[in-house]
Amino acid sequence: MTSGWFTGMSPPERRTFWSCFWGWALDAMDVQIYSLVIPTILAVWSLSTSEAGEIATATLVSSAVGGWIAGALADRIGRVRTLQLTILWFSIFTLVCSVAQRFEHLLLARTLMGLGFGGEWTAGAVLIGEVIRPEHRGRAVGTVQSGWAVGWALALVAQTVTFQIFEPEIAWRALFVVGVAPAVMVFFLRRFVTEPRVFEETRELGERPRVREIFARPVLRITILTSLLTTGAQGGYYAIATWLPTYLETERGFGALHTSASLAVVIAGSFTGYLAGAHLADRIGRRGLFVVFAICATAIVFVYTSVELDDGAMLALGFPLGFFGSGYFSGIGPFLTELFPTRVRGTGQGFAYGVGRGVGAFFPMLVGVLGATMPLGRAIGAFAVGAYALLIVAAVLLPETRGRILRAG
């Protein structure tokens, strides 16, 4: 965080950077809590892997809807106000998860939580993408993306603490209670973060944005290809992240501590990958980042899930798994910001990222279904590799946008 681009930020840029970073980190914490408690819920409630996957998928599908709604709201009422609303929403419904009494309750609570989860990314990505100057946009937005790994780590720490203090039947509920913490971010946002100048200039032009504009030429082609890009990116990630703790415990036979250690290595690789991806997005371009990381992730996932490895090799391979399986996300935020015009930027980003989440959301459920008839590792690998192939194709068909200046209108 001490590099020249960061220290050279203006005070408004820096405040926006940190608000989006911690907003994304705490958002990630709430999302990853569920993947960490799946093994416990499977045992306590006697759920099947298909039912557990259904909850994960419902959360992601609703996040797709939430992202689109938040994007449209961000174009109408502002990026900052929308960010405040979405953070409050997903914090409240994460808390509601803690009092669920059966499968249907948890399914509904996670579905409602997903609306805010999806909306937070959209509002935050548009906000920071418009505030940061073009030459630093890839690094700044990509570094904010590294907050996801920080949030995942916070969830892992919270899990370790709660499961040490409480019995599993209570600990998973306590973990969801911790998830209300992001609500504190709203007070910071209300006081210190303002709307981007380019958004204010666009609003002064007077014409209200219309959702249908992203489905009309010349924006339609961008809408379709970015939706395919985000489907590949998120489908691959969620197929792995949702089921990795369960795979390590049930198929690899790891105990809780060994699983936590393995996940810590993956998270360390993920955090490093986000930071590296952030710099590469400005150095080799957004498309180059997607292609290189997706190819490497394909190779790593295949080995990790399909090749017989000893425990030491599994532990070591976790770092590149996290590095390449997450780092390409650093380019998505700036890429979408630069591809859509300002007047419908929130709507376009929300829709494209939401479609990616909505379609990619079925990957965890399908992995769970397929995992009932074949080894879970192979099911994870099959869906992840297919998703990375889609990511590469869409990246190649889209234009490079590195250094693009954002204008009003």
Side-chain angles (χ1 to χ4, degrees):
M1 295 296 185
T2 58
S3 58
W5 68 267
F6 182 78
T7 55
M9 280 185 180
S10 65
E13 285 179 317
R14 193 172 293 115
R15 288 194 296 268
T16 303
F17 173 89
W18 284 118
S19 67
C20 291
F21 179 91
W22 285 110
W24 190 228
L26 295 172
D27 191 356
M29 182 184 74
D30 280 10
V31 173
Q32 293 299 132
I33 281 173
Y34 176 68
S35 70
L36 294 174
V37 301
I38 285 178
T40 301
I41 293 175
L42 289 177
V44 172
W45 283 356
S46 300
L47 297 184
S48 66
T49 56
S50 295
E51 289 174 315
E54 184 179 340
I55 292 174
T57 293
T59 305
L60 297 177
V61 170
S62 68
S63 76
V65 177
W68 194 5
I69 293 172
L73 279 175
D75 286 336
R76 288 178 174 268
I77 69 173
R79 285 52 164 136
V80 177
R81 187 178 299 177
T82 303
L83 189 57
Q84 294 169 358
L85 292 172
T86 55
I87 289 175
L88 275 177
W89 184 278
F90 75 71
S91 298
I92 290 170
F93 283 102
T94 296
L95 181 62
V96 171
C97 291
S98 69
V99 297
Q101 297 300 310
R102 59 178 187 265
F103 166 75
E104 292 80 8
H105 294 166
L106 188 58
L107 176 65
L108 177 61
R110 290 293 291 181
T111 300
L112 292 171
M113 175 268 182
L115 293 172
F117 158 54
E120 192 277 338
W121 184 92
T122 300
V126 176
L127 173 63
I128 190 168
E130 290 182 339
V131 168
I132 302 298
R133 66 197 76 175
E135 61 269 26
H136 300 327
R137 188 178 298 123
R139 279 166 287 186
V141 181
T143 302
V144 163
Q145 189 74 45
S146 71
W148 183 272
V150 173
W152 194 358
L154 290 174
L156 189 61
V157 170
Q159 181 210 27
T160 302
V161 173
T162 53
F163 276 74
Q164 287 289 329
I165 297 174
F166 303 106
E167 292 298 316
E169 294 81 0
I170 302 297
W172 73 268
R173 297 184 184 277
L175 196 54
F176 277 121
V177 172
V178 174
V180 77
V184 177
M185 277 295 303
V186 173
F187 298 101
F188 179 86
L189 288 166
R190 286 179 62 86
R191 183 168 183 178
F192 296 108
V193 181
T194 58
E195 295 292 348
R197 180 180 299 177
V198 69
F199 169 72
E200 295 288 12
E201 291 173 350
T202 299
R203 188 155 58 175
E204 288 171 3
L205 296 177
E207 189 175 350
R208 293 173 66 86
R210 294 179 175 84
V211 172
R212 65 173 180 268
E213 291 181 55
I214 67 171
F215 304 112
R217 295 181 179 180
V219 184
L220 177 60
R221 183 175 184 275
I222 297 298
T223 301
I224 292 172
L225 290 177
T226 52
S227 297
L228 294 176
L229 179 90
T230 58
T231 296
Q234 295 180 91
Y237 178 83
Y238 287 125
I240 297 169
T242 301
W243 287 107
L244 188 57
T246 306
Y247 167 69
L248 293 174
E249 288 193 28
T250 62
E251 196 161 295
R252 295 292 305 186
F254 287 8
L257 290 178
H258 197 169
T259 296
S260 294
S262 297
L263 290 175
V265 173
V266 174
I267 292 168
S270 178
F271 180 73
T272 308
Y274 285 132
L275 295 180
H279 285 269
L280 288 172
D282 280 338
R283 190 171 291 270
I284 66 174
R286 286 58 163 137
R287 296 194 309 169
L289 170 68
F290 299 143
V291 172
V292 171
F293 272 56
I295 290 174
C296 293
T298 298
I300 296 297
V301 169
F302 175 79
V303 174
Y304 195 87
T305 60
S306 301
V307 177
E308 289 293 330
L309 301 170
D310 60 35
D311 290 354
M314 287 285 290
L315 189 66
L317 201 60
F319 189 89
L321 176 68
F323 185 94
F324 292 110
S326 301
Y328 57 77
F329 276 103
S330 292
I332 290 179
F335 198 42
L336 297 185
T337 295
E338 292 156 351
L339 284 168
F340 287 100
T342 301
R343 56 180 288 99
V344 291
R345 181 166 293 124
T347 305
Q349 283 195 232
F351 179 81
Y353 206 79
V355 167
R357 274 206 177 122
V359 179
F362 287 95
F363 284 50
M365 184 180 70
L366 293 173
V367 167
V369 172
L370 193 60
T373 60
M374 65 184 298
L376 182 59
R378 290 186 183 178
I380 294 171
F383 282 100
V385 170
Y388 293 142
L390 180 60
L391 170 61
I392 292 171
V393 171
V396 170
L397 294 176
L398 283 163
E400 179 57 61
T401 60
R402 178 178 51 172
R404 181 171 292 182
I405 297 174
L406 304 184
R407 305 187 185 280

